[in-house]
Amino acid sequence: MFNHRGSSLMKNVSTTTKFISRKSPRAIALYIFLLFAFSIFIFVFNAGNIEDDQFNPISLQITDEELWDPPSSRGLRPCAHPTSKYIPSLGSDRYLIVNCNGGLNQIRTAISDMVAVAYIMTAVLVIPKMDTQSFYHDSSTFSDIFDELHFITTLQQDVRIVKELPKELEHVPRAQKHFTSWSNVGYYKEMAQLWNEYQVINVVESDSILANNDLPLDVQRLRCRAMYHALRFPPSIESLGKELVDRLRTQSGKYIAVHLSYEKDMLAFTGCTSGLTDAESEELRIMRENTKDWKVKDINPTEQRKGGFCPLTPKEVGIFLRAIGYPPSTLIYVAFGEIYGGDARLSELKSYFPNLVSKEKLATKEELNAVSKHSTQTAALDYIVSLESDVFVPSSSDNMARAIEGHRRFFVHRKTISPDRKGLAKLFDELERGKLKISSFAERVQQMHKNRRGSPRKRKGAAPGMKGEERFKTEEFFYDNPYHECICSPKGV
């Protein structure tokens, strides 16, 4: 294609050169301008064909079923019900109080874990309060984010939950307790000795207070009942979220929800600068330096990317999805957070998938105004739309992305394509240096992600050689993949 058009262009140049030699300077200038414009047109036309000619043969080998159908559930089903040996923990005059901080997912996991801790310690759980002084500066209360009555009644056969501490206990001495991270049932049974001196325990920190593995089956399933059944969003948010899903389905039938974890704070925290300008990179470095809660200040962005610790850029997400086989007409819903670089950077994804929408485009201004006061509420909308999507694609493994993937696994393994960011970083570098053609890139991407589409798998254990708390940190988080305790075979308990 290039040789034929190049030869024709050279002939035109030769003919034109002879012709303009007999013309006036003004005519010569006009001919040169037209020739230049024609050359630019040919270049752009060919450039467009390069991408289509290299992507499309790969796409045509993939059926609609392969692109959209969920992976085989292998007969598995969600199972959060208690076993026949389960004994509820209802009668008590001892109370647990907890303040939850962080974003929506940290709050959800903290509450679910506290339900389990209250059960183990035979305590009454007071409806958790939200820490408004955290990094997110969100003023939400529990009832702003969750259906409070539904939460209490769903768990009423497991743990007693009250809206507030009884007035007669408001001024009694309280045990201020930092529970040790990644603790098992034995630890909390020891902590129950605190009831000998106190009626109220105030839990200072609620993050990662329970181990992932080696807990009794009924404790694990209680965590799942709390997370996947009891923690329902308020009716107004649930209704709007489902309305947005209906609008997407009306528009296209099927859609992909992409979690672009490309917010300013995420990039600053991880030290990832791929695709950013020098000025943007410096701005993020200063932000990281000035944020006291972030311990690591000096980060090598190249090593972060090579290690697979950086989110894909919007452009990389576009190339990735085209390589997987999705056509440019695919409807893409962009979920969560404000993209660093705004519309200019989002346009890099839109150049591959023009049919790009967000909640701001789907919902009316009046609908969004009803939830815009709280970032956790707007995150809840994205959560619902992502949970219900035909395909979910997270650009990173941040808390929210992992929570949605775990929730989709619980509901019998809905399709989730998890990018291998470490492997992709190498492929993107080869592509950028011209060492890899788009067609070869697509083949390798598809092969690399053959078994990364949300099919059932056991939870990953600790990394080899790790000990103590570090060992627990390297385990796959329970809520990311509640198999096998909360996902059973047809003959499961």
Side-chain angles (χ1 to χ4, degrees), residues 337-392:
E338 184 177 343
I339 304 303
Y340 188 52
D343 290 341
R345 189 146 286 122
L346 198 58
S347 67
E348 296 172 353
L349 171 56
K350 196 169 185 178
S351 66
Y352 291 93
F353 292 94
N355 205 4
L356 201 69
V357 297
S358 62
K359 59 181 172 293
E360 287 78 13
K361 292 184 178 180
L362 282 175
T364 66
K365 186 177 291 186
E366 291 74 22
E367 288 171 332
L368 286 179
N369 283 342
V371 298
S372 61
K373 293 180 181 178
H374 306 291
S375 61
T376 44
Q377 289 184 331
T378 56
L381 285 179
D382 282 328
Y383 191 102
I384 294 169
V385 178
S386 297
L387 183 64
E388 297 296 328
S389 65
D390 297 279
V391 180
F392 177 62

Side-chain angles (χ1 to χ4, degrees), residues 202-214:
N202 187 40
V203 183
V204 179
E205 291 183 357
S206 58
D207 290 339
S208 305
I209 60 173
L210 267 178
N212 289 312
N213 302 317
D214 302 322

Side-chain angles (χ1 to χ4, degrees), residues 93-205:
D93 58 354
R94 298 166 291 195
Y95 294 82
L96 276 177
I97 297 176
V98 60
N99 289 317
C100 300
N101 65 343
L104 178 62
N105 178 60
Q106 286 172 279
I107 292 170
R108 284 169 57 89
T109 55
I111 293 171
S112 299
D113 277 359
M114 285 307 305
V115 168
V117 169
Y119 169 79
I120 296 167
M121 296 183 67
T122 318
V124 178
L125 179 64
V126 179
I127 284 288
K129 298 186 181 300
M130 307 298 121
D131 180 7
T132 59
Q133 302 303 314
S134 68
F135 177 84
Y136 295 89
H137 299 295
D138 193 301
S139 60
S140 298
T141 64
F142 185 96
S143 59
D144 288 327
I145 312 171
F146 305 110
D147 185 332
E148 191 174 88
L149 180 60
H150 177 79
F151 178 70
I152 294 172
T153 55
T154 301
L155 296 171
Q156 63 186 355
Q157 298 302 317
D158 299 294
V159 176
R160 186 177 161 218
I161 302 172
V162 297
K163 293 186 178 182
E164 54 189 24
L165 193 68
K167 289 186 177 180
E168 62 269 21
L169 298 179
E170 287 181 355
H171 302 292
V172 300
R174 303 179 184 183
Q176 302 290 327
K177 187 62 185 175
H178 287 262
F179 286 141
T180 302
S181 298
W182 316 110
S183 296
N184 57 23
V185 169
Y187 170 83
Y188 286 105
K189 286 186 175 178
E190 287 183 15
M191 290 299 102
Q193 295 177 10
L194 290 169
W195 300 130
N196 296 331
E197 299 181 45
Y198 301 96
Q199 253 188 294
V200 180
I201 296 176
N202 187 40
V203 183
V204 179
E205 291 183 357

Side-chain angles (χ1 to χ4, degrees), residues 260-426:
L260 277 184
S261 198
Y262 212 73
E263 299 94 342
K264 184 177 181 180
D265 61 308
M266 163 63 83
L267 296 175
F269 179 76
T270 57
C272 297
T273 60
S274 179
L276 302 181
T277 65
D278 290 342
E280 288 172 329
S281 300
E282 178 62 12
E283 182 181 25
L284 297 182
R285 187 197 66 77
I286 293 172
M287 180 181 182
R288 182 168 63 252
E289 191 67 34
N290 293 337
T291 305
K292 294 180 180 179
D293 293 339
W294 296 352
K295 307 299 181 186
V296 182
K297 305 297 183 182
D298 188 16
I299 301 176
N300 185 321
T302 302
E303 292 303 314
Q304 281 288 91
R305 187 168 181 270
K306 284 183 179 179
F309 303 115
C310 290
L312 300 183
T313 68
K315 180 180 180 180
E316 288 171 342
V317 171
I319 297 173
F320 171 72
L321 288 176
R322 286 295 305 275
I324 289 291
Y326 291 98
S329 59
T330 304
L331 179 61
I332 305 287
Y333 179 87
V334 177
F336 301 107
E338 184 177 343
I339 304 303
Y340 188 52
D343 290 341
R345 189 146 286 122
L346 198 58
S347 67
E348 296 172 353
L349 171 56
K350 196 169 185 178
S351 66
Y352 291 93
F353 292 94
N355 205 4
L356 201 69
V357 297
S358 62
K359 59 181 172 293
E360 287 78 13
K361 292 184 178 180
L362 282 175
T364 66
K365 186 177 291 186
E366 291 74 22
E367 288 171 332
L368 286 179
N369 283 342
V371 298
S372 61
K373 293 180 181 178
H374 306 291
S375 61
T376 44
Q377 289 184 331
T378 56
L381 285 179
D382 282 328
Y383 191 102
I384 294 169
V385 178
S386 297
L387 183 64
E388 297 296 328
S389 65
D390 297 279
V391 180
F392 177 62
V393 180
S395 70
S396 78
S397 59
D398 71 358
N399 290 332
M400 188 58 72
R402 300 200 321 265
I404 293 172
E405 181 173 0
H407 205 154
R408 289 171 68 87
R409 283 187 182 280
F410 178 75
F411 285 126
V412 198
H413 299 88
R414 296 175 178 177
K415 189 162 196 170
T416 299
I417 304 177
S418 303
D420 179 351
R421 296 186 308 281
K422 185 175 181 179
L424 285 172
K426 183 178 179 181

Side-chain angles (χ1 to χ4, degrees), residues 31-103:
Y31 277 118
I32 291 174
F33 172 79
L34 291 174
L35 181 61
F36 176 75
F38 179 71
S39 301
I40 293 296
F41 170 78
I42 291 296
F43 174 79
V44 172
F45 180 77
N46 275 319
N49 281 343
I50 294 170
E51 184 175 302
D52 287 340
D53 288 346
Q54 289 176 324
F55 264 123
N56 287 344
I58 303 299
S59 302
L60 291 174
Q61 296 174 15
I62 300 175
T63 65
D64 249 17
E65 289 76 16
E66 289 176 291
L67 289 175
W68 296 103
D69 284 2
S72 171
S73 66
R74 303 176 190 169
L76 299 173
R77 59 184 176 82
C79 56
H81 59 274
T83 70
S84 59
K85 298 178 180 179
Y86 181 71
I87 301 174
S89 174
L90 302 176
S92 175
D93 58 354
R94 298 166 291 195
Y95 294 82
L96 276 177
I97 297 176
V98 60
N99 289 317
C100 300
N101 65 343

